[in-house]
Amino acid sequence: MSTYKRYHIETKPAPDLYPHPSRFRVRVKKHRLIGLLLKELVQYRGNMPVVLSRPCVYGVFSGPLGGLAPREHSCVGCLRCTTQYPDIVQIHPNPERAGLPGSDLGPDQVDTILYEARTGRVPVRGAGYRGMFGGPGWDGMWTDMSEIVRPTRDGIHGREFISTVMEIGEKPPYLAFDEEGRVSGSEPRVFAIQVPFLFDVPPPAVRSDALLHVTAEAARRIDSLAVVPFPLAAGLPESPEIVPLVRSEEDAALERMCWIPRMLLLEGWNRERYERIRGRFPESVVAVRVPAGTDVPEMVRAGARVLHLVADETARAGGRFFGDVILEIHRKLVLDGVREEVTLIGSGGIVLAEHVPKAIICGLDAVALEMAPMVALQARFRGPGRDPGAAAIRLPGLDHAWAVQRLVNLSASWRDQLLEILGAMGLREVRRLRGEVGRCMFQKELEREAFAGIEGYEG
């Protein structure tokens, strides 16, 4: 009897602890509003339903006190009230509303993440998208959503199955066997996670046992991974979803590990250290965490096979866009004939659901999430960036069950959006998306083709 069970992430409502500031401030001159009501009361002969009807279809003035206490969270900025009653109502952007300091994550994107964490659903804007259709970084990539290729369009609804499984590990180019049929050379050392994203180590400012237990439990619930600093990981019970992050000065303390992790992540590259740790943990996949600007092909020639590339919070690596750096590394590994042997994980500036497939198109196998989970848990950010010396990040008091469900909901929403993109492209598994630049359009390339040679164009 088959024991197969289709992968599914169970979502539950997890309300925000406090609301994100509204988009607009509604300023009502109350004495003029009262004067208008008295005038209309006489004009309409005491017909209260007519007098108390307000022009807002979104319910901004539908509270118990009407326009005297407007519901600012319902305002969408249509400006109908200001147009009809300019001397009574004015709409202004809310100065308290902010995004993530030091990054490209604006307040609307923060709202999106909070909605995803709160509901586990795909955000849908019935009035259509009002933002820009291009821009720097990830916004300069447009995924191919052609309606012609849709054999798996219903993957998000369960009528067709689209795999989001991603394999991590070392894969030799071929298998060698001896005369008795036993493997005589290198063997694959891989394992699978159900989604192509994992939880990166949280920023130092909010790193705590409670938060790391939350990310580890969320990773277990979605069958993924959570990166945990080694001193804390060593004290946790054996868990396949925990990936200890080991700094060079902590190598000697590895003897304290009372269990064998499925994957170890080494901070920084040193070939002798890498070989030593691999020998110490032959059953584990040993990965290396390095800045994205590192010479990855040289590391691969030296024996590294699982690499975690780190960019900054604005998706920049060595002054270049992270996606361009990934694409260049991917192409070099393809030319060297070793791309299939290597697993590339990336983090930094990947903060929205759409960034995951775009990063995979550029050449990553999986992404590690750092800032998006913090936003989902309603962290407060202060300062110019997330650097621990320049920014202060404060989390609310975490209820374990609430925090875990928020991250699970976020993961479910992001996976559903990944399924939507894969279905629209006609792909049945996310592994086929890696490096598939033919499924993507790059704004810079299109503009260069369209405007090159025209006076004033700067490509």
Side-chain angles (χ1 to χ4, degrees):
M1 183 176 179
S2 175
T3 58
Y4 170 77
K5 184 179 179 180
R6 177 174 287 187
Y7 177 73
H8 175 69
I9 299 177
E10 190 67 34
T11 62
K12 296 179 182 177
D16 295 340
L17 295 180
Y18 47 84
H20 192 232
S22 60
R23 295 173 60 194
F24 301 102
R25 288 284 180 85
V26 182
R27 293 290 179 251
V28 178
K29 295 180 180 179
K30 296 181 176 57
H31 65 286
R32 293 189 177 181
L33 175 60
I34 293 173
L36 175 66
L37 293 175
L38 293 175
K39 178 182 177 182
E40 290 183 345
L41 192 62
V42 174
Q43 180 181 355
Y44 295 108
R45 302 179 181 181
N47 190 334
M48 295 302 294
V50 174
V51 172
L52 297 180
S53 64
R54 293 298 102 201
C56 184
V57 298
Y58 298 99
V60 175
F61 308 115
S62 298
L65 298 179
L68 299 177
R71 297 171 169 174
E72 293 184 332
H73 64 276
S74 298
C75 182
V76 300
C78 70
L79 300 181
R80 178 186 172 185
C81 56
T82 297
T83 302
Q84 192 166 354
Y85 300 102
D87 57 336
I88 297 178
V89 184
Q90 291 294 322
I91 308 297
H92 304 282
N94 190 347
E96 296 181 2
R97 185 177 171 84
L100 187 61
S103 78
D104 296 328
L105 192 61
D108 290 340
Q109 288 74 32
V110 170
D111 270 346
T112 297
I113 294 176
L114 292 178
Y115 175 85
E116 293 165 343
R118 184 168 62 248
T119 66
R121 299 168 58 187
V122 176
V124 177
R125 295 178 176 86
Y129 177 67
R130 297 184 179 93
M132 297 186 298
F133 287 88
W138 301 114
D139 290 337
M141 296 177 62
W142 305 331
T143 52
D144 182 5
M145 303 291 283
S146 171
E147 295 186 12
I148 299 174
V149 285
R150 289 198 170 184
T152 58
R153 184 63 184 85
D154 294 326
I156 191 173
H157 305 296
R159 292 189 285 269
E160 297 275 355
F161 181 71
I162 301 176
S163 172
T164 56
V165 172
M166 183 60 68
E167 293 174 339
I168 297 176
E170 307 172 17
K171 293 159 278 187
Y174 56 86
L175 295 177
F177 299 89
D178 59 20
E179 295 179 353
E180 298 180 2
R182 293 175 298 191
V183 177
S184 60
S186 300
E187 297 184 33
R189 195 175 348 186
V190 299
F191 62 89
I193 57 176
Q194 290 293 329
V195 287
F197 50 82
L198 53 117
F199 298 113
D200 202 356
V201 59
V206 293
R207 204 172 293 168
S208 65
D209 288 350
L211 178 57
L212 293 168
H213 276 87
V214 166
T215 58
E217 175 61 18
R220 186 193 67 80
R221 292 262 300 272
I222 67 172
D223 195 3
S224 184
L225 302 172
V227 180
V228 177
F230 168 72
L232 295 172
L236 296 175
E238 180 175 0
S239 303
E241 66 275 359
I242 292 177
V243 178
L245 175 62
V246 186
R247 296 178 296 177
S248 57
E249 59 268 26
E250 297 167 343
D251 289 355
L254 280 172
E255 301 297 332
R256 299 203 327 258
M257 286 289 292
C258 56
W259 51 280
I260 306 299
R262 186 164 56 164
M263 175 174 161
L264 271 170
L265 185 57
L266 306 183
E267 186 75 65
W269 168 247
N270 180 284
R271 183 172 182 176
E272 294 181 0
R273 178 191 180 213
Y274 175 75
E275 296 294 345
R276 184 174 68 253
I277 300 300
R278 286 190 70 206
R280 169 70 178 80
F281 293 91
E283 300 176 10
S284 302
V285 170
V286 179
V288 182
R289 181 187 179 103
V290 294
T294 306
D295 188 350
V296 171
E298 180 60 32
M299 292 175 58
V300 172
R301 285 190 286 270
R305 286 296 180 269
V306 183
L307 301 168
H308 182 174
L309 310 178
V310 182
D312 67 17
E313 65 276 7
T314 60
R316 307 294 292 180
R320 301 172 58 199
F321 170 49
F322 190 25
D324 293 337
V325 174
I326 300 166
L327 194 56
E328 181 179 298
I329 292 171
H330 171 78
R331 286 171 173 169
K332 286 182 179 179
L333 294 178
V334 170
L335 291 175
D336 290 345
V338 294
R339 183 62 188 91
E340 295 299 329
E341 304 176 37
V342 178
T343 300
L344 294 181
I345 303 170
S347 63
I350 300 173
V351 289
L352 293 176
E354 67 190 61
H355 297 170
V356 176
K358 290 179 179 180
I360 294 174
I361 286 173
C362 288
L364 290 182
D365 292 283
V367 303
L369 310 179
E370 181 183 7
M371 282 296 105
M374 297 303 100
V375 175
L377 297 179
Q378 295 200 276
R380 293 296 183 97
F381 299 86
R382 295 290 184 271
R386 72 179 184 199
D387 179 76
I393 307 175
R394 183 172 59 86
L395 280 171
L398 291 181
D399 175 79
H400 181 79
W402 173 85
V404 169
Q405 191 61 56
R406 295 276 290 192
L407 298 187
V408 170
N409 287 350
L410 181 73
S411 302
S413 176
W414 282 30
R415 180 176 183 265
D416 280 351
Q417 291 175 73
L418 178 61
L419 290 175
E420 288 277 15
I421 287 182
L422 293 174
M425 292 181 177
L427 298 179
R428 296 192 72 97
E429 60 174 344
V430 71
R431 288 175 292 190
R432 295 189 61 186
L433 187 64
R434 188 194 69 192
E436 187 62 71
V437 292
R439 303 281 186 177
C440 182
M441 295 171 286
F442 296 87
Q443 182 182 353
K444 287 184 179 179
E445 294 181 1
L446 294 176
E447 289 179 346
R448 191 178 301 116
E449 292 177 6
F451 305 123
I454 298 178
E455 184 178 354
Y457 171 69
E458 298 180 2

